[in-house]
Amino acid sequence: MSHRTTPPFRADHVGSLLRPPALLKAREARERNEITAAELAHIEDEAIRDAVKLQEDVGLEAITDGEYRRFSWNSDFLKSFSGVRVVEGKIEVHFHSDQGVIAANKPTGFRIEGKIGRPKPIFAGQFAFLKSLTRATPKATIPSPTLLHFRGGREAVDAKAYPDMEGFYADLAKVYREEIADFAAAGCRYLQIDETNYAYLCDPTLREQVRTKIHEDPAQLPHTYARLLNQAVAGRPKDMVVCIHICRGNSQSSWVAEGGYDPVAETLFNEIDVDGYFLEYDSPRAGDFSPLRFVPKGKMIVLGLVTTKRPQLETKDELKRRIDEAERYVPLEQLALSPQCGFASTQFGNKITLDDEIAKLRLVVEVAREVWG
């Protein structure tokens, strides 16, 4: 089978990487005002240079900045909008680890206190720096716009600013289109939207909270979010590839959502105008591959078969067997391979080492070469 020259690549990855100790220390120093913002930015620059080299050295063709300038995969971006305040979310989640339930937690939520706007570009400048460092394909990652609704529902949206929720969704999509246009102007042709809520809508417990905490119909919400996502990416350049990563929660090797993709699969794969999907399939909590029967021709599925949550390295035979299983529902030419999530969705990172991270990325590259050529 021929090598893919456009993303998503046969060997790909979600984006975030373990932060080096020097960067973590610099962030702490900045919080204590012991160094300037410019000094922190310089340390970030150097760490990103190293991250780019790491990715190139293991053979990846999609290169990210490791999300090294962020504290969190979502809040750094979303709190940059005008009219948005970070608050406690309404949906209560339980983080799980291999040892069991850790604790109940209400993840970051957002209160819409006025008209949503984007005073200035948010991550586009960061992308331009990344692009200057590599001849491979630089990838930008941003959180899904659905987070501004799902974690608080209608009650978190000021009724004076938005008496009609359609106005809220329209303004939210508009600021995303503006940011995506700036990404495009900076040369971005590979964009990933990180989306947790379709995964949460696969979990029976969380579906019930959707009914009782944010007073939405969990059967209707996937369609509402599909329209929002389509409005958000409308107008992107024809040669910009957009993929969605469906995340089940990723914090210091723990996760949130469980359950197969069955409740959302038809909507997810057929109602959203994107080019591909990164799907977590590293454990039985994700269900089997049968929901992939809804994937239409032309859309790519990146199988997240390599876990970022544990240091144990998967075997090549195990990964190839699971790719064979997925091929029962989707042609091999529409499949690719990646880790199931990022290695550090927040700056604290998962409970693995740098050597573990490198070994897992290298494994993805080697298996992809052996399977697809």
Side-chain angles (χ1 to χ4, degrees):
M1 184 171 292
S2 62
H3 174 75
R4 276 184 67 84
T5 58
T6 58
F9 298 101
R10 299 297 184 193
D12 217 308
H13 68 125
V14 170
S16 66
L17 300 171
L18 295 172
R19 274 58 158 182
L23 177 56
L24 293 174
K25 290 179 182 178
R27 284 198 170 280
E28 293 173 357
R30 176 58 188 152
E31 290 174 4
R32 297 191 296 265
N33 287 320
E34 294 172 358
I35 62 174
T36 66
E39 289 172 323
L40 174 60
H42 175 72
I43 294 169
E44 290 171 341
D45 288 350
E46 294 308 304
I48 290 168
R49 293 180 195 277
D50 291 341
V52 168
K53 185 177 186 302
L54 181 157
Q55 293 167 79
E56 292 176 341
D57 285 350
V58 300
L60 290 167
E61 295 174 87
I63 307 296
T64 75
D65 64 3
E67 300 183 3
Y68 279 2
R69 300 190 198 275
R70 307 182 203 181
F71 173 81
S72 163
W73 66 277
N74 67 79
S75 60
D76 294 65
F77 184 79
L78 296 170
K79 71 183 182 182
S80 299
F81 297 163
S82 59
V84 173
R85 180 166 63 91
V86 177
V87 297
E88 185 181 77
K90 287 182 175 291
I91 299 290
E92 182 176 278
V93 302
H94 291 81
F95 278 95
H96 305 259
S97 73
D98 289 337
Q99 287 69 49
V101 177
I102 298 174
N105 176 273
K106 289 186 177 179
T108 300
F110 304 93
R111 171 72 187 171
I112 312 305
E113 299 184 322
K115 289 287 189 180
I116 297 174
R118 193 189 64 133
K120 60 182 180 180
I122 304 171
F123 286 166
Q126 299 176 12
F127 176 83
F129 177 74
L130 170 66
K131 188 174 186 297
S132 73
L133 301 179
T134 183
R135 292 187 177 181
T137 300
K139 178 166 77 168
T141 64
I142 57 175
S144 172
T146 68
L147 271 71
L148 283 187
H149 175 264
F150 186 87
R151 295 188 175 182
R154 180 65 178 98
E155 293 178 7
V157 180
D158 182 75
K160 291 183 179 178
Y162 293 107
D164 182 344
M165 285 298 287
E166 289 305 313
F168 162 72
Y169 288 129
D171 281 358
L172 179 53
K174 180 174 181 290
V175 298
Y176 268 78
R177 288 196 300 274
E178 291 171 353
E179 182 74 6
I180 290 171
D182 282 334
F183 272 125
C188 177
R189 292 300 181 269
Y190 189 12
L191 176 69
Q192 177 182 294
I193 298 173
D194 293 317
E195 165 64 60
T196 56
N197 299 323
Y198 276 90
Y200 285 17
L201 288 165
C202 296
D203 187 305
T205 301
L206 292 170
R207 286 174 69 86
E208 183 59 28
Q209 285 202 56
V210 167
R211 293 188 184 93
T212 60
K213 298 291 182 67
I214 67 170
H215 311 296
E216 293 280 355
D217 178 357
Q220 180 57 42
L221 213 48
H223 304 287
T224 301
Y225 287 165
R227 291 192 296 271
L228 171 61
L229 287 160
N230 286 341
Q231 292 172 22
V233 302
R236 69 187 185 275
K238 291 182 179 180
D239 61 346
M240 176 185 281
V241 171
V242 177
C243 291
I244 292 179
H245 169 231
I246 304 299
C247 177
R248 296 169 178 269
N250 188 50
S251 178
Q252 299 181 76
S253 292
S254 63
W255 66 89
V256 174
E258 301 187 357
Y261 293 97
D262 308 76
V264 302
E266 243 183 309
T267 300
L268 179 66
F269 299 137
N270 292 280
E271 293 185 20
I272 305 177
D273 182 21
V274 294
D275 303 287
Y277 303 86
F278 285 72
L279 301 180
E280 299 198 0
Y281 266 119
D282 64 320
S283 81
R285 68 178 177 273
D288 61 25
F289 293 118
S290 62
L292 299 184
R293 68 188 184 277
F294 294 111
V295 176
K297 291 182 179 180
K299 287 192 174 185
M300 289 291 295
I301 297 296
V302 186
L303 299 170
L305 302 178
V306 174
T307 190
T308 64
K309 292 178 167 58
R310 296 185 305 277
Q312 291 79 11
L313 196 63
E314 294 80 357
T315 69
K316 289 185 177 181
D317 285 346
E318 173 188 358
L319 297 179
K320 290 175 182 178
R321 176 181 57 78
R322 299 207 68 204
I323 293 169
D324 287 343
E325 292 173 4
E327 193 183 358
R328 293 172 54 196
Y329 302 98
V330 180
L332 186 61
E333 65 187 26
Q334 287 180 246
L335 296 175
L337 178 65
S338 77
Q340 122 280 341
C341 198
F343 291 90
S345 294
T346 70
Q347 70 172 5
F348 303 112
N350 285 342
K351 296 177 181 179
I352 64 173
T353 68
L354 176 61
D355 286 343
D356 296 330
E357 175 184 84
I358 292 171
K360 285 177 177 283
L361 291 173
R362 183 170 285 124
L363 175 65
V364 167
V365 171
E366 291 176 357
V367 170
R369 286 174 178 166
E370 292 173 15
V371 171
W372 287 282

